[in-house]
Every structure is written in structure tokens, then in C-alpha cells.
Amino acid sequence: MDDKRNLSSKVAIVTGGSRGIGRAVVLKLAERGAKVVVNYRSNATAAAEVMAAIKARDGEGLVQATDISQPQEVAKLVETALTSYGKIDILVNNAGITRDGLILRLSEGDWDEVLATNLKGAFLCTKAVLRPMIRQRWGRIVNIASVVGIIGNAGQANYAAAKAGLIGLTRATAREVASRGITVNAIAPGFIKTEMTQSLSEAQRQELLKQIPFGYFGSPEDVAATVAFLSSEEAAYITGQVLNIDGGMVMA
């Protein structure tokens, strides 16, 4: 493996790492050699399956149940990583939830819950890892946003607002920490083959496919490969950017 792609000396935290895109990211970083701390909120079975998959690939890591919207739990997550491995090199802010509904019917609770996990959680995790990254003068932060945060989507005002906020957080943080050797970038996936798209009706799928020039949904591995790239030395001169992985759905 090219030395610039090799992550064998790195320690990564991936939030929401037990399913979907997060799971693919965890496995890709482990494949590249990183030790991975897998955060999950409630699905211990899925987290254990991810850890078994890491070990089956001769990788190393651990799982940690954390509600990333709670500062004290985020502090424990970071402390666990530092105690276990002595440093943190990579943070992937992937954890996210949806509580969809048209804005006239959207409850304040559903607004708050989505913003708390999808945006506040990323802020808390970013803040918590920056001190160790600044001390070592090296770090990679990759935020999983969404094309919805760029173009909006009816019925997802809370989710779109959180993902747009995540893009703003990415750029502001990138400017603050660039001088310390830390890059901060975002990925905006389009429609990816996950539990969400699997639940769509055939009519809904066909309508969405019309919006994608490639004519098919992406895979979690498509996103994971880009995360691995942005986490490596290959991407050392890239920061504050938003990379769309959407089959050409959004071109700006």
C-alpha cells in the first residue's frame, strides 16, 4: 500500500459506526490499518457485528455506547480512545437521525432531537478531539453531511438545517485549525443504498433515479473510500471542502 494511504499508525473515532455508511467507514479505515473506536447509541448487536468484522480483517478497535448529544458522554468517548490508544488522529462525524415531517406539522421536539444529534453532536465531538489533535499538530476531521443540506428537501426541514449547519461548522473549524496541521472536510452523500432507501417504494425509487445522471444509487463503500482518502496524507492540502458523492445529482 502507498505510504500516503496507509493509516496503520492512526487512531480513529467514527460516530454512528454500527450501521450503513458508518459501518462501511469503520471497515475501510480498519482495512487501511487504523485502530477504530466505534461509537453507537443503542444497537449493541450491530456494534458487536462490526467489531467482529474488524477482527476478521485482522484489524483492531473497540466499541463505545455514547449519546453524542450529551457533553459528558462525548467526554467519556474521547477519554476511552485516549486511554486505550494514547491519541486521536481521525474523527468521522457520521451519526445522524431523521424525524421527517412537513414543517407546518413538524413538532419542536422532532426539530430539537435532529439538531441535537446531527449538528450539536458533531460540534461536541469536534471540540473534544481538537486539543489532542492540536498537541500533536496533526488531525483529520470528516463530517458526513448530505446533499439535502445543499439543495433542501420537502419534509426534512430539520434534517436539511442540521446538514447545512454541519457544512458551516466544517468551514469555520477548517479556518480555525489549519495552522495546526488539522484538516476539516465534509462529504455530502446523495441517495445511498442503506436502510433508508431500502424502505422506499418502487415508484419512489424510480422517481429519485430520474434525478441521478448515473441512474443508480451509490453504496456505503463509495462514501467510505472518500472518507479514507480525506483521512490520509494524500489529502494533506485539502481543507474546508464539501465533496458530493451523489452520482451527479447536484452540480454546482
Side-chain angles (χ1 to χ4, degrees), residues 141-211:
I141 298 174
V142 183
N143 296 321
I144 307 300
S146 170
V147 294
V148 169
I150 299 170
I151 62 173
N153 194 33
Q156 289 193 308
N158 48 3
Y159 187 79
K163 294 301 187 179
L166 190 55
I167 289 170
L169 176 65
T170 297
R171 289 173 170 155
T173 308
R175 290 186 180 276
E176 289 186 20
V177 301
S179 65
R180 307 303 179 94
I182 301 167
T183 69
V184 189
N185 293 288
I187 292 172
F191 288 98
I192 305 297
K193 289 181 286 188
T194 62
E195 291 178 7
M196 182 188 75
T197 53
Q198 288 171 358
S199 67
L200 297 172
S201 69
E202 184 58 28
Q204 289 172 318
R205 287 171 58 86
Q206 292 305 315
E207 192 60 35
L208 289 172
L209 288 172
K210 292 177 185 177
Q211 303 175 41

Side-chain angles (χ1 to χ4, degrees), residues 97-116 118-119 146-166:
I97 61 171
T98 56
R99 297 288 184 271
D100 295 348
L102 295 174
I103 195 164
L104 281 173
R105 300 172 185 169
L106 192 64
S107 71
E108 190 173 344
D110 284 345
W111 173 273
D112 289 345
E113 192 172 355
V114 168
L115 270 289
N118 297 17
L119 184 55
S146 170
V147 294
V148 169
I150 299 170
I151 62 173
N153 194 33
Q156 289 193 308
N158 48 3
Y159 187 79
K163 294 301 187 179
L166 190 55

